[in-house]
Amino acid sequence: GWKVSMKSGSLSHILPCNRLPVQLMSQVRVYTSNGQKKDLGSEDTNGSARGQTLHKVETGQDTTNAGQKQSSPKQPIQVKVKAVLKKREYGPKYTQNNFITGVRAINEFCLKSSDLDQLRKIKRRSPHDDTETFTVYLRSDVEAKSLEVWGSPEALARERKRRKEAEIKYRENLFRNQRLLWEYKEFFGNTKPRSSTAAMFFKGPGKVVMVAICINGLNFFFKLLAWVYTGSASMFSEAIHSLADTCNQALLALGISQSARTPDPSHPYGFTNMRYIASLISGVGIFMMGAGLSWYHGIIGLLHPHPVESLLWAYCILAGSLVSEGATLLVAINEIRRSARAKGLSFYQYVVQSRDPSTNVVLLEDAAAVLSVAVAATCMGLTSLTGNPYYDSVGSLGVGTLLGTVSAFLIYTNTEALLGRSIEPEQLQRLTELLESDPVVRAIHDVKATDMGMSKVRFKAEVDFDGRVVTRSYLEKQDIEQLLQEIQQVKTLEELEAFMLKHGENIVDTLGAEVDRLEKDLKQRNPDVRHVDLEIL
């Protein structure tokens, strides 16, 4: 066979050809900076002898090479040691340093407020706009206190279960309690001042809706009498149209009152979209009740025509309806103009974007009512002149088509609003420029701004913060001389770790304060922005 001998320093490998075991011989030395060498370990005496034998077998390697190696100077080896801290294992669930508010401590651990007085209190930056700082407690302290109060985790679990059952029972009896309270108010009289919900119907969209309800109710009554007297299909369509308008506007009033409810844990963003839901149902109601019945009555009139009685009273009622519907239409137009001017939008943009769904419904319903009165009067006039009842039936179909168009527009605009459409590109650009012009921001990504309804915007962006600017902002608030003394006193790894942990946590708090400042600036400069979510990259 053949043999291959390789040398690298003092390491030799003998690789026989017949898949013999590889024999390894090594000797490790460490050289200090002064050139001295120390043997850290070698193989035993037998190993050294075996190595000498193997060296003799090798060809081309004589004592001359060994002499040359011994004559070459030994270069010192420099080893750079990196000091690192020992990695701390926190485990899958680490809550040792978690903070908890007093309300959560009382509710989740079944404690009293007096129990928390004995615990350590920590002041932290408040996440709410109305307060700067608030008090929190260490979760570990709260857990230890709960075990001290209740004795064991089992006793605490039993108390939690008991309170949960009591809460469920209270919810079951809530309706009965509300019923008793209502009966109490009925018996003793309700002296509570008029709520803000009732006051909503005396101004703005609420006022428009209430005026429309009153006028359309009267129109329905008189149109119904005219249809009974004349038997006109067009007059029947007008009566159904007024009835549909009255019901839909009553539904709008319900939506306005429900949208004024305060947010609760189940609906943290409030009930503003109730106006859009009511308007959407109103559009469906117009299509089914108004357009559907008008088409049905018109088709029946075409299939089974019958002569129409005297239309004098019908003309008088249509004229009165035209005046009343026109008055309601003017009220809605003035309200939309005022609101559009306040938002800096044109009349058309305000209507198409459905900024105020309740007023939009009144506007479109009354506009359709005025046009349908004109259509009904024209067709009834043609029937009176020619004596042909088909014109009257065609008028009913025309009124139904007009109502169907209005309902389709209302369904589309309110559906778009409920789906959560984006705000205008110009407004989004202003928000983006405001963030990017701040020194603490390097870049922003994945920007989303959603119109939540009634000109309430939710803004979300992922922000790449400049760590140097954040750190400098923290240093500007510190005593640099004292900070330098702290640095000079650091001698050991433990002292370095304590120094970095202290100031690292403070820098993170400074970053949180910068996020709060940016959110506050966005809300102040853009009043429509109600909710801001800035995610740190």
Side-chain angles (χ1 to χ4, degrees):
W2 53 270
K3 296 190 181 79
V4 178
S5 175
M6 297 180 292
K7 282 191 175 184
S8 176
S10 61
L11 182 64
S12 299
H13 298 273
I14 305 301
L15 303 177
C17 63
N18 294 329
R19 297 184 181 178
L20 295 178
V22 178
Q23 300 184 19
L24 177 63
M25 179 183 64
S26 63
Q27 186 176 11
V28 181
R29 297 182 179 87
V30 176
Y31 292 86
T32 61
S33 58
N34 56 6
Q36 297 177 357
K37 62 181 180 180
K38 298 179 181 180
D39 291 339
L40 294 183
S42 59
E43 293 188 2
D44 52 11
T45 308
N46 296 333
S48 300
R50 183 169 60 251
Q52 294 175 1
T53 306
L54 292 173
H55 277 290
K56 291 178 181 179
V57 174
E58 294 174 358
T59 60
Q61 302 294 335
D62 51 10
T63 57
T64 306
N65 294 337
Q68 291 176 356
K69 287 185 179 182
Q70 291 178 358
S71 62
S72 61
K74 301 295 184 181
Q75 298 294 333
I77 300 176
Q78 298 180 356
V79 179
K80 187 176 181 180
V81 180
K82 182 180 179 181
V84 296
L85 291 175
K86 182 180 179 181
K87 185 177 180 180
R88 181 174 297 179
E89 298 294 338
Y90 293 102
K93 186 178 180 181
Y94 180 78
T95 59
Q96 190 69 24
N97 295 331
N98 286 12
F99 294 141
I100 186 172
T101 61
V103 175
R104 284 189 59 192
I106 293 175
N107 293 334
E108 295 182 12
F109 293 93
C110 306
L111 297 176
K112 300 178 181 178
S113 58
S114 58
D115 297 330
L116 301 180
D117 295 339
Q118 307 170 11
L119 303 181
R120 290 177 290 177
K121 299 179 179 63
I122 303 171
K123 294 290 185 180
R124 299 295 295 173
R125 189 184 71 257
S126 174
H128 308 290
D129 296 335
D130 53 351
T131 55
E132 294 184 359
T133 59
F134 72 132
T135 304
V136 294
Y137 304 88
L138 277 174
R139 187 183 182 93
S140 56
D141 293 348
V142 174
E143 291 176 351
K145 187 64 179 179
S146 65
L147 293 179
E148 177 185 342
V149 172
W150 295 105
S152 64
E154 292 76 13
L156 177 60
R158 287 194 299 268
E159 179 63 19
R160 286 175 176 171
K161 182 178 179 181
R162 187 191 67 80
R163 294 192 180 189
K164 187 67 175 178
E165 293 174 352
E167 182 182 358
I168 295 175
K169 186 177 181 181
Y170 169 77
R171 290 181 179 178
E172 292 175 351
N173 296 331
L174 183 60
F175 177 76
R176 183 176 62 86
N177 296 335
Q178 291 178 345
R179 179 69 179 179
L180 292 174
L181 181 60
W182 180 79
E183 293 177 355
Y184 173 82
K185 290 181 179 180
E186 287 291 323
F187 183 76
F188 290 98
N190 188 2
T191 59
K192 184 179 180 181
R194 188 170 59 193
S195 62
S196 59
T197 303
M200 294 177 61
F201 294 103
F202 293 90
K203 61 180 180 180
K207 178 182 178 180
V208 175
V209 171
M210 294 305 297
V211 171
I213 289 175
C214 297
I215 292 179
N216 284 319
L218 291 175
N219 288 340
F220 165 71
F221 178 73
F222 288 110
K223 288 178 181 179
L224 185 63
L225 291 180
W227 171 71
V228 172
Y229 180 74
T230 62
S232 170
S234 296
M235 185 55 65
F236 175 80
S237 297
E238 280 300 304
I240 293 299
H241 182 187
S242 296
L243 176 62
D245 289 348
T246 305
C247 295
N248 290 330
Q249 285 152 8
L251 183 63
L252 293 178
L254 177 62
I256 291 175
S257 64
Q258 292 296 315
S259 66
R261 294 169 58 187
T262 56
D264 56 26
S266 300
H267 305 86
Y269 291 106
F271 299 85
T272 306
N273 285 337
M274 281 301 299
R275 293 195 183 190
Y276 292 97
I277 295 174
S279 300
L280 178 62
I281 299 175
S282 176
V284 176
I286 293 173
F287 183 80
M288 296 183 64
M289 182 181 288
L293 288 178
S294 297
W295 284 331
Y296 171 78
H297 208 73
I299 293 173
I300 292 298
L302 291 176
L303 296 178
H304 307 286
H306 62 277
V308 180
E309 302 295 335
S310 175
L311 300 178
L312 177 62
W313 286 104
Y315 291 139
C316 294
I317 292 175
L318 284 179
S321 176
L322 181 63
V323 173
S324 60
E325 297 283 2
T328 309
L329 179 61
L330 289 178
V331 173
I333 290 176
N334 291 332
E335 176 63 25
I336 290 180
R337 281 180 177 174
R338 184 186 63 81
S339 301
R341 193 181 306 113
K343 297 294 182 183
L345 300 174
S346 64
F347 184 90
Y348 175 77
Q349 289 176 334
Y350 193 88
V351 173
V352 171
Q353 295 177 13
S354 190
R355 294 281 180 166
D356 187 355
S358 303
T359 309
N360 272 8
V361 172
V362 175
L363 171 72
L364 296 175
E365 285 183 349
D366 289 338
V370 172
L371 292 177
S372 63
V373 167
V375 171
T378 301
C379 293
M380 289 170 62
L382 292 174
T383 299
S384 298
L385 293 175
T386 61
N388 188 353
Y390 285 109
Y391 290 109
D392 187 59
S393 299
V394 170
S396 180
L397 292 176
V399 171
T401 303
L402 187 61
L403 293 177
T405 303
V406 171
S407 65
F409 179 80
L410 290 176
I411 292 172
Y412 171 76
T413 55
N414 287 283
T415 302
E416 285 290 313
L418 289 172
L419 287 176
R421 60 193 171 195
S422 178
I423 62 176
E424 293 296 319
E426 295 80 7
Q427 186 179 5
L428 181 60
Q429 182 67 23
R430 288 197 299 269
L431 296 174
T432 303
E433 291 177 354
L434 177 61
L435 281 179
E436 290 181 336
S437 62
D438 196 279
V440 80
V441 177
R442 278 183 176 147
I444 58 175
H445 309 278
D446 193 21
V447 180
K448 297 176 183 177
T450 306
D451 189 349
M452 300 175 59
M454 297 305 298
S455 300
K456 293 182 179 180
V457 177
R458 182 179 181 182
F459 181 82
K460 175 262 178 186
E462 295 188 3
V463 183
D464 185 3
F465 285 90
D466 191 337
R468 294 177 178 268
V469 177
V470 174
T471 306
R472 183 175 295 276
S473 176
Y474 168 70
L475 292 176
E476 290 173 353
K477 303 174 184 178
Q478 305 300 315
D479 187 352
I480 299 300
E481 296 291 340
Q482 181 180 356
L483 188 62
L484 181 59
Q485 293 177 4
E486 292 182 12
I487 296 175
Q488 292 173 350
Q489 292 175 0
V490 173
K491 302 299 182 182
T492 63
L493 293 178
E494 290 76 11
E495 293 176 352
L496 176 62
E497 180 183 8
F499 176 83
M500 295 299 298
L501 291 177
K502 172 187 174 182
H503 293 282
E505 183 178 8
N506 294 337
I507 291 176
V508 172
D509 289 341
T510 303
L511 177 59
E514 293 293 336
V515 172
D516 293 342
R517 179 182 61 81
L518 291 175
E519 293 178 353
K520 188 175 181 180
D521 289 345
L522 285 173
K523 293 179 181 179
Q524 286 181 348
R525 301 189 185 185
N526 301 272
D528 292 344
V529 178
R530 303 295 180 87
H531 307 282
V532 181
D533 299 324
L534 299 181
E535 300 180 4
I536 303 174
L537 285 180

